[in-house]
Amino acid sequence: MDIAIRALQKTFGVSPALHGVDLDIRSGELIGLLGPSGSGKTTLLRAIAGLETPTAGQILFGGQDALRLSVQERRVGFVFQNYALFRHMSVAENIGYGLRVRPRATRPAPHQIAQRVNELLELVQLNGLDGRFPGQLSGGQRQRVALARALAVEPRVLLLDEPFGALDARVRKDLRLWLRDLHKRTGHTTILVTHDQDEALEMSDRVAILNRGALEQIGAPDEIFDSPASPFVFGFIGDSNRLAVEMSNGRARLGAAVLGRVASGLEGEAELFFRPEDAVLDEVGGVLGGEIKAVRRQGAKRRVEIRLDQTGVMIEVDLPHGAILHPAHRVGLRLERVGLFMQGRCVSLMNEARRAA
């Protein structure tokens, strides 16, 4: 089922949480809502579920006005970060709870509920654990029970609010792959709220970036990472360095250094972004120069912190495999790919190795 959100606003007292959000979610899509704390992503999710009433705007489920529907009528499956399982109920009882409490006219027969529970236990790979209680399960198993309970009511939309936030890194990674596979098999329209960038980029068909209650950008994971539409997105997604530069006759300048050409006629202050992997260290030359202040390990790679001669600003650059550099070494830098923004608007995403001259 497709969802259309139009000019959605939500204000708590005098504090706006959503500012005219427009968003189209395709039927069967898994879309990630990503943003910092306070960006409005959970408020948006709760408004879709019917747990928050918008101040203004529309939410349409398949063209139907969802704001006129109760929470039950929306047929939404909601999975919370803290699982929200009933501790005094077994796994099977938790999964079947939503079916057992339906109005008598729509409540399945006991044997139908049992059959549905067994189907879901197999789907979430918890066969044989139906008699256990939540306290007897691991965190990953409890989250699978929560997902099965949400699926039991045959929802039109599945909403996931930081579903892996309480789990350790290894379990979280395993569950990402499992949930992605589960989504392919079930085909539910799914909205995932997360603050974990890797999670959003790995799992989502598209990612919507929220900032201070407004939608900054929406696109496929590659588009979001490779072609950020605003300084906020470039700075928020992945690691990045920011330099305040001056545009003069279409050239980006940092002091005497010319960092790139864009288009003639551009004049004034601008922001230049580049990722640590998009700068090349050169001990004998480069457009920029500086002194290494620290070398540190980041997983499989090493990263250096460099204080630039031109401005004194600290930047981070990935160290090539096998390179031996230490604090106090002087290095030059070539920027392979940068993003340039003026007045919050993307002016250019360019390969500097070819265009900086």
Side-chain angles (χ1 to χ4, degrees), residues 284-307:
V284 296
V287 176
L288 299 175
E291 179 182 344
I292 294 178
K293 292 298 183 180
V295 181
R296 51 190 170 84
R297 169 67 63 179
Q298 280 202 342
K301 60 189 176 186
R302 289 185 301 152
R303 183 166 288 180
V304 293
E305 297 177 7
I306 301 170
R307 185 183 298 279

Side-chain angles (χ1 to χ4, degrees), residues 19-263:
H19 299 279
V21 173
D22 288 293
L23 180 62
D24 288 299
I25 301 169
R26 303 160 187 161
S27 181
E29 180 177 38
L30 196 164
I31 191 164
L33 299 183
L34 182 62
S37 297
S39 61
K41 52 188 186 295
T42 294
T43 300
L44 178 56
L45 197 74
R46 289 174 61 84
I48 294 170
L51 301 177
E52 295 285 357
T53 302
T55 306
Q58 286 184 305
I59 300 175
L60 306 174
F61 281 11
Q64 182 182 18
D65 186 358
L67 298 182
R68 296 180 177 273
L69 304 176
S70 68
V71 174
Q72 292 75 20
E73 290 170 331
R74 295 188 193 197
R75 286 178 51 197
V76 166
F78 208 124
V79 179
F80 300 89
Q81 177 179 345
N82 62 356
Y83 321 126
L85 299 177
F86 298 110
R87 290 179 293 176
H88 65 285
M89 292 185 185
S90 68
V91 166
E93 290 170 334
N94 266 286
I95 294 174
Y97 177 79
L99 298 174
R100 293 197 309 274
V101 297
R102 278 184 174 176
R104 185 178 299 275
T106 59
R107 187 187 310 157
H111 74 276
Q112 292 175 314
I113 295 176
Q115 180 179 350
R116 178 65 174 157
V117 167
N118 287 331
E119 290 171 353
L120 288 166
L121 284 167
E122 183 175 352
L123 182 67
V124 300
Q125 301 170 1
L126 291 177
N127 307 67
L129 300 183
D130 53 305
R132 293 193 184 182
F133 291 86
Q136 299 172 308
L137 303 176
S138 68
Q141 289 172 331
R142 288 197 292 271
Q143 194 57 283
R144 292 188 188 203
V145 174
L147 280 161
R149 184 178 62 183
L151 293 171
V153 296
E154 298 180 341
R156 296 191 291 175
V157 182
L158 185 61
L159 306 179
L160 311 175
D161 189 10
E162 302 276 7
F164 310 135
L167 304 173
D168 63 58
R170 179 70 258 176
V171 175
R172 194 161 63 240
K173 185 172 181 61
D174 290 343
L175 275 183
R176 283 182 203 161
L177 299 175
W178 172 81
L179 182 58
R180 185 67 196 176
D181 180 65
L182 180 68
H183 175 261
K184 289 179 180 178
R185 283 184 282 153
T186 61
H188 287 89
T189 301
T190 302
I191 305 172
L192 167 71
V193 162
T194 180
H195 67 276
D196 188 312
Q197 298 179 18
D198 292 340
E199 195 167 279
L201 295 173
E202 180 180 343
M203 294 181 60
S204 306
D205 297 314
R206 289 189 301 154
V207 179
I209 308 294
L210 290 169
N211 179 33
R212 296 181 179 179
L215 185 64
E216 287 271 346
Q217 185 176 0
I218 181 168
D222 284 346
E223 179 184 352
I224 293 291
F225 191 88
D226 295 332
S227 302
S230 70
F232 172 81
V233 176
F234 210 127
F236 181 71
I237 297 295
D239 295 329
S240 65
N241 299 288
R242 175 192 173 276
L243 298 176
V245 298
E246 188 73 21
M247 298 300 301
S248 176
N249 193 27
R251 293 171 179 259
R253 299 178 181 273
L254 186 67
V258 179
L259 303 182
R261 291 183 301 180
V262 186

